[in-house]
Amino acid sequence: MIGVTVLGSTGSIGASTLDVLRRHRERYRLVAVTAHTDVKGMRTQCLEWRPEFAVMSDPDAAQRLRDELRPAAPDVEVLAGADGLSRVATLDEVQYVMAAIVGAAGLMPTLAAARAGKRVLLANKESLVMSGRLFMDAIRQNGAALLPIDSEHNALFQCMPGGYRAGLRPEGVRRILLTASGGPFRSTPLGELDQVTPEQACAHPNWVMGRKISVDSATMMNKGLEVIEAHWLFGAAPDQIEVVIHPQSVIHSLVQYADGSVLAQLGNPDMRTPIAHALAWPERVDAGVAPLDLFKVARLDFERPDLARFPCLRLAWEALRAGGAATAILNAANEAAVAAFLAREIPFTGIARIVGDTLAGVPLTAADTLDQVLAADAEARAFAAGLAQRWAA
Ligand code: NAD
Ligand code: MG
């Protein structure tokens, strides 16, 4: 039996992960689950799974969960805070860690899992965007394995040469083609983007996801973060990565080889496919996903992204080229701006403005140590939140 910790188990990726685990109880044992404040969701998961540990990163929520579980499931140990997250990411009885916390909050426990030599199933792209070099070094130096969960990167991983491990520069690869749906505003008139609401931004045409990544998909900052993620995962230079808009979300990404071959991975847009792939790799198991019906798909379309419509994508590329802590600054500014948009404090188009102004306004430092990364994150977050506040006033 393989012991599994699911960080962020109450979220969208977390729920899909438990759905796959439920189909393979003979292979995997769920040892620990974690959430931020969702006591109700966590209680339900604890009653079904009886894990050894449940972590609430919010201490008050941890106390409430403890009170609720005492009569119903006294065998589940409830831990609190960031220490609890890192502890369950490094337990001896855990071999696989699903990193599915959203945002910068995911960095420390995900890094802890890498340092403890676990198989890291990485959904939390923000940790690679913040500290790609540190993170990849931690994987390499501690004999950990890194399996991408982001559907595009999981597709790319599947299209890599046999025996490939994340972090290595693959032999014979010329380009990486990252597909993008273009989100809900791909063809909204530019003049109307100022008025769109959080509800419209979160209504993705092909995927059901958490609110933060849904907004990121609508601005295409998500694809920008994924360009940075691909750079670190596959050792690709910025100009070896191309973004292709593909509205059907059937081809999840492609690898172009020196001999002219292009390999693609296709499937229905369902995150249980990459999750099952990463859990079972190098084997294959049932994910509960319906087979792809090519006759129903009928056609596949491609277009070039419009950087005037999606300035966040351009900003992400610029941050990657700038190097150092620029991508940590980008990520922090984006998290602050998206939170302000979801709180209806700034318009949708304000997200790119705030990210751009933060990149221009916060001094660029190196990102060689965790302290430098965390300092850049904190400074950019405060700077961007200040801009958002002035907007709201
Ligand atoms: P979500 O909002 O649905 O869930 C987030 C989870 O993280 C929840 O369990 C929540 O309790 C926990 N969490 C939130 N804030 C926290 C904090 N401050 N401290 C500790 N835990 C916290 O998000 P999601 O859509 O499942 O996305 C999770 C990650 O996976 C993100 O990094 C996202 O970019 C990535 N991802 C998601 C999808 C998708 O289809 N949903 C696809 C690719 C990548
Ligand atoms: Mg993705």
Side-chain angles (χ1 to χ4, degrees):
M1 289 282 264
I2 296 166
V4 181
T5 284
V6 180
L7 301 169
S9 62
T10 56
S12 162
I13 294 286
S16 294
T17 304
L18 297 199
D19 186 273
V20 175
L21 293 177
R22 205 175 275 121
R23 295 164 196 276
H24 302 284
R25 289 186 190 264
E26 73 300 340
R27 280 176 84 108
Y28 307 105
R29 187 167 64 91
L30 186 60
V31 176
V33 284
T34 87
H36 189 41
T37 53
D38 181 5
V39 173
K40 187 160 169 265
M42 192 54 121
R43 179 179 190 278
T44 306
Q45 291 185 348
C46 286
L47 293 181
E48 179 190 347
W49 290 90
R50 295 298 176 111
E52 279 170 51
F53 298 96
V55 186
M56 300 301 300
S57 50
D58 178 76
D60 293 339
Q63 195 49 52
R64 268 182 287 138
L65 181 68
R66 220 170 264 134
D67 294 342
E68 289 202 16
L69 287 184
R70 197 168 294 124
D75 44 332
V76 180
E77 186 173 340
V78 178
L79 305 176
D83 289 348
L85 294 177
S86 289
R87 179 161 164 216
V88 298
T90 57
L91 292 167
D92 283 342
E93 63 265 46
V94 165
Q95 288 83 44
Y96 295 2
V97 175
M98 165 57 80
I101 289 174
V102 61
L107 173 62
M108 296 310 286
T110 308
L111 196 56
R115 287 178 172 159
K118 306 300 185 195
R119 175 183 292 199
V120 179
L121 285 61
L122 187 72
N124 178 255
K125 64 192 90 187
E126 293 91 343
S127 49
L128 266 187
V129 171
M130 291 175 73
S131 62
R133 188 178 309 279
L134 286 170
F135 191 81
M136 295 311 295
D137 284 349
I139 293 282
R140 233 182 334 264
Q141 288 161 7
N142 297 286
L146 184 54
L147 276 295
I149 294 298
D150 218 341
S151 56
E152 296 78 2
H153 304 73
N154 183 269
L156 292 167
F157 184 87
Q158 294 195 45
C159 295
M160 287 294 168
Y164 179 76
R165 310 269 295 193
L168 301 178
R169 195 179 284 274
E171 290 287 325
V173 169
R174 190 165 277 168
R175 268 169 111 64
I176 278 173
L177 308 175
L178 263 187
T179 54
S181 69
F185 306 136
R186 184 170 57 91
S187 41
T188 304
L190 280 182
E192 292 175 19
L193 286 182
D194 246 354
Q195 312 298 328
V196 301
T197 63
E199 289 69 32
Q200 289 170 304
C202 288
H204 195 279
N206 306 335
W207 299 94
V208 181
M209 308 180 286
R211 281 164 75 75
K212 190 262 179 183
I213 184 175
S214 295
V215 176
D216 286 349
S217 298
T219 60
M220 278 193 82
M221 178 59 92
N222 183 50
K223 210 49 55 179
L225 301 179
E226 291 183 359
V227 168
I228 300 166
E229 185 183 10
H231 163 75
W232 289 112
L233 281 173
F234 305 115
D239 53 11
Q240 280 184 301
I241 306 168
E242 184 161 50
V243 171
V244 181
I245 302 235
H246 163 47
Q248 290 91 356
S249 297
V250 167
I251 297 183
H252 298 308
S253 278
L254 315 89
V255 176
Q256 190 171 65
Y257 283 88
D259 63 5
S261 299
V262 178
L263 301 194
Q265 187 258 0
L266 289 74
N268 285 319
D270 187 322
M271 290 308 293
R272 292 176 300 176
T273 294
I275 291 167
H277 169 265
L279 279 169
W281 176 83
E283 293 173 43
R284 300 273 181 176
V285 296
D286 174 41
V289 177
L292 181 65
D293 181 345
L294 281 177
F295 301 106
K296 224 158 140 190
V297 173
R299 58 180 283 178
L300 301 171
D301 294 304
F302 307 98
E303 37 185 90
R304 227 175 263 289
D306 172 358
L307 295 187
R309 174 180 294 276
F310 298 114
C312 285
L313 184 54
R314 177 177 50 76
L315 291 168
W317 236 299
E318 286 172 12
L320 177 58
R321 290 208 168 86
T327 55
I329 293 171
L330 172 94
N331 179 66
N334 181 57
E335 283 188 29
V338 169
F341 168 66
L342 286 173
R344 299 174 204 279
E345 292 161 7
I346 62 165
F348 181 72
T349 47
I351 297 172
R353 294 255 310 265
I354 286 179
V355 174
D357 290 351
T358 306
L359 276 170
V362 171
L364 180 58
T365 57
D368 300 332
T369 67
L370 195 55
D371 285 346
Q372 285 171 326
V373 169
L374 296 177
D377 175 90
E379 187 171 355
R381 210 169 277 276
F383 192 96
L387 293 177
Q389 255 167 26
R390 247 171 287 154
W391 208 310

